[in-house]
Amino acid sequence: MRYLGSCIGMILVIQFTVWATSAQAEVFEEGVHYQELPGERSDTAQIIEFFSLYCGSCYQYQPFTAMIKDKWPGILTQQHVSSLTPSGFERSVQEAWAAARLLEVEQSFAERVFDLNFVQRRQVADQEQIYQVFNSLGIERERVEQILSSFQVRSLVRQMQLQEERFGVRGTPTFIVNQKYMMDYRGFRDSEDFFADYLALAEYLLNK
């Protein structure tokens, strides 16, 4: 699973780094705090998060994701990557995530799967468990099967895969701002309040 190293690295930054000073005066440098990507900037403000429900860092980043949603409602799109998933189950998980988005239960779905994977240690690793997760959210199997077989789900999965390739995503979570800037957690090793500083970076890039 090619994402594992980057995922673990981000956990270490959050858990084990000795924080020294916050990002000084919110001065952010290209190549240090973010990477500029080729191509045009999006016309509208947006943040794309590439994540996996099987990534420990993504689980720990949930408060940061919530901060984005609270500060800028409707600006965040979460795309599930095609790897860091039980072998042979990659597309099924992407389809399940697409279905959760279409059913407007993505936050509850993510919370439930994260809890099973990282709190209860009962990894969701087959289709039957996916149906059970949806059922726990009050959505019957028949409705889930209908959504999973829809053109909308196929389109969303294709979009996830194309964007993952376009932005050269190699680790999770990865945050892309305005389709032009990739946020880089490595520039915040000396931060006293990582999530607050990372949010300030997102705001800087949204306005750049």
Side-chain angles (χ1 to χ4, degrees), residues 103-121:
L103 291 165
E104 299 182 350
V105 295
E106 62 265 43
Q107 182 170 339
S108 298
F109 182 86
E111 290 173 354
R112 179 62 175 155
V113 177
F114 274 136
D115 181 73
L116 287 167
N117 285 343
F118 294 104
V119 180
Q120 300 186 42
R121 303 292 180 180

Side-chain angles (χ1 to χ4, degrees), residues 45-62:
Q46 58 181 261
I47 298 175
I48 305 171
E49 177 189 4
F50 291 92
F51 82 111
S52 171
L53 293 166
Y54 300 82
C55 165
S57 287
C58 300
Y59 169 61
Q60 293 192 343
Y61 267 68
Q62 286 185 99

Side-chain angles (χ1 to χ4, degrees), residues 92-108:
S92 295
V93 174
Q94 285 188 309
E95 289 174 344
W97 180 246
R101 285 172 54 181
L102 290 169
L103 291 165
E104 299 182 350
V105 295
E106 62 265 43
Q107 182 170 339
S108 298

Side-chain angles (χ1 to χ4, degrees), residues 41-47 72 74-76 177-178 206-207:
R41 183 185 184 279
S42 60
D43 294 331
T44 58
Q46 58 181 261
I47 298 175
W72 302 293
I75 205 172
L76 179 70
V177 180
N178 290 344
L206 284 168
N207 296 315

